[in-house]
Amino acid sequence: MLRPLSVKTFLLWFAGGLALRLLLSPLYGTQDVEWQKAWAKGMLQHGMTRVYGAPDAEILGRIKDGQDRAAVRAATQTVLSFQPYRYFRTEYLVTYPPGYLYVLNGSARVYGFVAPGLPNGRLFNVFINLPSILAAAALTLAIAAFAGSLLSPAAGYGIALLYWLNPVAILNSPIQGYQDPLCALFAVLAVLAIFRRRVVWACVFLAAGMLVKPQAVLVAPVVLGAGLLLQPALRNLWGWLAGALVALMVLSPWLLAGRGLSVLQGVLSVTDSSGDLSRQALNLWWPVQYAWNAVEAVRGGLAGWDAFAGGAYGWYADVPAALLEPRLGFSPGALGLLLLAAFTGFNLYHLARRCRKDPLVIVEASALQVYAYFILRAGVQGNHYYLLVPLLALACLRPGATLRFYGAVSLVFLLQDLIFYGFGRDFNFGKQVLSRLHLGWTTNVLALANIVLFGMLCRHFYRRGRSAPAP
């Protein structure tokens, strides 16, 4: 059980976490930061509504002419030119939803006042990272307020610091430069709103989260399912309409400019990077991908032990799932989706049985839904676990072993992120060290540990019978 904290102690730790994040914000992060900077500069050069692509009339005209989707995309998506830092790509396509572009546009404009022309340096990194830092801070305060209202303010401070001071959260942002805290803020607020039976606000936050980053949709089955269980149908309808209205408001500049289809085309193109078995995600599909790379290394003439132990640079190579379909006789992507669908059905069944009497199940089911996606789906990227971090911290409201699970799960993801992306492009040698030491195989141990932890956490949440704090 966490020790209760005084408000003074909480504020000191909160200020320390904020100072640390600001101190680390100039780091160059992963290559994703270059994408964000390219989009930011592109919006100032071309205008926010033009960065996705051509007007809808041109897209529809090409479709009517019989061009396939790939040809239409190639001809109509806007290509942004940008000179990156230590990254090979010089041309970029916008693939995030419009909600994030508002944030990025604000960062670019403020940075433009400080440094006209937006030179690509460490100060640019600071302005790119700042919105995520502020989002993580806001999420921490929201967790503290929510947990404090259920237990006590002193206990709520401890729960909030579980998230705020978690090394894996700090590594994700700002060190590696991901924007996951922005999405997490809205997704968690949606979960907390439906916990309070405020279905309209839950739908508003859920829509906002998905318009910042698509991963917010991972909690949608639980949020929408709980809404139907806890509130009348008419109230849910108002919530769905409110969410749709938020989406229309966010999309309105593009719709009014006649470029709604270009937005859809751009956002859908993000799936181009999800055709591999695993994108540095230590889940069910990582050992399969590792084995494929090892076999290919042997075929290429590498000695057996070097290939299977990870002594060769290549054990971590991305493998398109389509390569395995002829040999496996099934689609890994389809199987992963089927497994997730089956889990979702069981998760919602569990939610329906218990959420009226035990509303904390909503938080737990949301955490498991995110974890299941990461473990079961093919094509998952390494940072797609992030929503699990604040949700599992909130699940520590319930006494018991959840705190130990939180620590174990966080450790696995911390090791994963250090191996594959380290401290971003400033210091990242995890893969090379494992290769030189013939320890690439240990990533399979971590993947199996992650799978086992997922199973144990499911058992812990589904079989535990203790009551939750009352809302």
Side-chain angles (χ1 to χ4, degrees):
M1 188 69 180
L2 291 171
R3 287 183 56 187
L5 300 175
S6 68
V7 63
K8 181 179 179 180
T9 302
F10 169 73
L11 290 176
L12 285 173
W13 281 110
F14 181 80
L18 181 60
L20 178 61
R21 284 169 165 84
L22 292 173
L23 183 67
L24 296 169
S25 64
L27 295 178
Y28 275 101
T30 69
Q31 63 266 22
D32 283 31
V33 176
E34 300 307 307
W35 284 79
Q36 295 152 19
K37 289 187 283 191
W39 299 344
K41 197 163 187 176
M43 279 188 284
L44 295 191
Q45 291 174 337
H46 302 280
M48 194 165 66
T49 61
R50 295 173 178 267
V51 292
Y52 284 105
D56 294 347
E58 181 179 342
I59 294 174
L60 290 173
R62 291 179 178 276
I63 293 173
K64 290 178 181 178
D65 289 341
Q67 297 183 22
D68 60 24
R69 180 190 169 199
V72 172
R73 274 184 50 191
T76 59
Q77 278 193 286
T78 299
V79 178
L80 302 175
S81 296
F82 183 74
Q83 292 301 317
Y85 170 81
R86 291 178 57 185
Y87 184 45
F88 70 90
R89 188 182 298 274
T90 58
E91 294 184 338
Y92 299 80
L93 304 174
V94 178
T95 58
Y96 266 34
Y100 176 55
L101 294 193
Y102 285 99
V103 176
L104 194 58
N105 189 44
S107 293
R109 290 187 179 278
V110 176
Y111 178 51
F113 283 117
V114 178
L118 279 65
N120 190 1
R122 291 194 181 274
L123 189 58
F124 203 174
N125 301 340
V126 173
F127 282 89
I128 292 294
N129 282 318
L130 191 57
S132 285
I133 293 174
L134 296 177
L139 179 53
T140 300
L141 297 177
I143 291 173
F146 176 81
S149 70
L150 296 186
L151 298 176
S152 68
Y157 298 146
I159 296 292
L161 291 181
L162 278 179
Y163 165 70
W164 181 239
L165 300 179
N166 191 330
V168 76
I170 299 172
L171 184 63
N172 174 279
S173 178
I175 295 176
Q176 294 181 343
Y178 292 118
Q179 301 299 315
D180 296 302
L182 285 163
C183 173
L185 173 62
F186 291 110
V188 173
L189 287 177
V191 173
L192 299 186
I194 204 62
F195 181 99
R196 298 293 192 188
R197 305 194 178 198
R198 296 172 180 169
V199 67
V200 173
W201 278 109
C203 291
V204 166
F205 288 133
L206 184 62
M210 290 189 290
L211 287 164
V212 169
K213 194 172 182 181
Q215 275 68 46
V217 76
L218 299 179
V219 300
V222 175
V223 170
L224 298 179
L228 290 169
L229 290 166
L230 299 174
Q231 292 289 290
L234 183 59
R235 191 68 177 169
N236 280 273
L237 179 60
W238 280 115
W240 301 340
L241 289 174
L245 181 60
V246 168
L248 284 175
M249 290 173 61
V250 171
L251 289 167
S252 60
W254 288 269
L255 296 176
L256 292 173
R259 294 175 183 265
L261 288 178
S262 69
V263 175
L264 180 62
Q265 184 174 252
V267 173
L268 288 177
S269 67
V270 77
T271 59
D272 293 347
S273 62
S274 61
D276 300 312
L277 282 178
S278 173
R279 298 295 299 270
Q280 297 80 50
L282 297 182
N283 60 7
L284 179 67
W285 298 101
W286 177 261
V288 180
Q289 180 168 282
Y290 185 97
W292 176 275
N293 283 325
V295 170
E296 290 300 303
V298 171
R299 287 179 176 175
L302 195 69
W305 173 247
D306 279 344
F308 283 95
Y313 287 72
W315 56 268
Y316 48 83
D318 298 328
V319 176
L323 288 178
L324 275 72
E325 291 183 21
R327 301 192 181 188
L328 296 177
F330 61 84
S331 166
L335 178 60
L337 183 60
L338 181 63
L339 291 172
L340 180 61
F343 174 86
T344 301
F346 182 77
N347 201 30
L348 292 178
Y349 168 74
H350 171 75
L351 180 76
R353 287 183 56 205
R354 297 187 54 199
C355 73
R356 292 183 180 88
K357 295 182 179 179
D358 185 358
L360 196 57
V361 168
I362 296 170
V363 176
E364 296 168 343
S366 298
L368 288 180
Q369 194 66 35
V370 176
Y371 207 174
Y373 166 81
F374 187 91
I375 293 294
L376 301 176
R377 282 298 305 272
V380 173
Q381 297 189 24
N383 64 312
H384 286 178
Y385 66 84
Y386 189 84
L387 297 183
L388 178 62
V389 179
L391 289 170
L392 198 53
L394 277 164
C396 292
L397 278 163
R398 197 191 300 275
T402 307
L403 183 59
R404 291 194 293 274
F405 279 113
Y406 180 74
V409 170
S410 296
L411 178 60
V412 169
F413 284 122
L414 179 66
L415 292 173
Q416 171 196 276
D417 289 357
L418 286 173
I419 288 171
F420 292 113
Y421 289 110
F423 290 88
R425 285 164 293 160
D426 289 280
F427 189 86
N428 177 23
F429 300 102
K431 299 187 294 293
Q432 291 85 342
V433 169
L434 291 187
S435 294
R436 290 188 182 279
L437 297 177
H438 292 75
L439 291 175
W441 60 272
T442 59
T443 56
N444 296 304
V445 176
L446 284 175
L448 292 174
N450 212 5
I451 296 167
V452 170
L453 277 173
F454 169 65
M456 293 174 66
L457 194 62
C458 288
R459 183 178 183 273
H460 173 66
F461 283 157
Y462 290 148
R463 296 187 64 179
R464 181 221 338 92
R466 299 178 185 177
S467 60

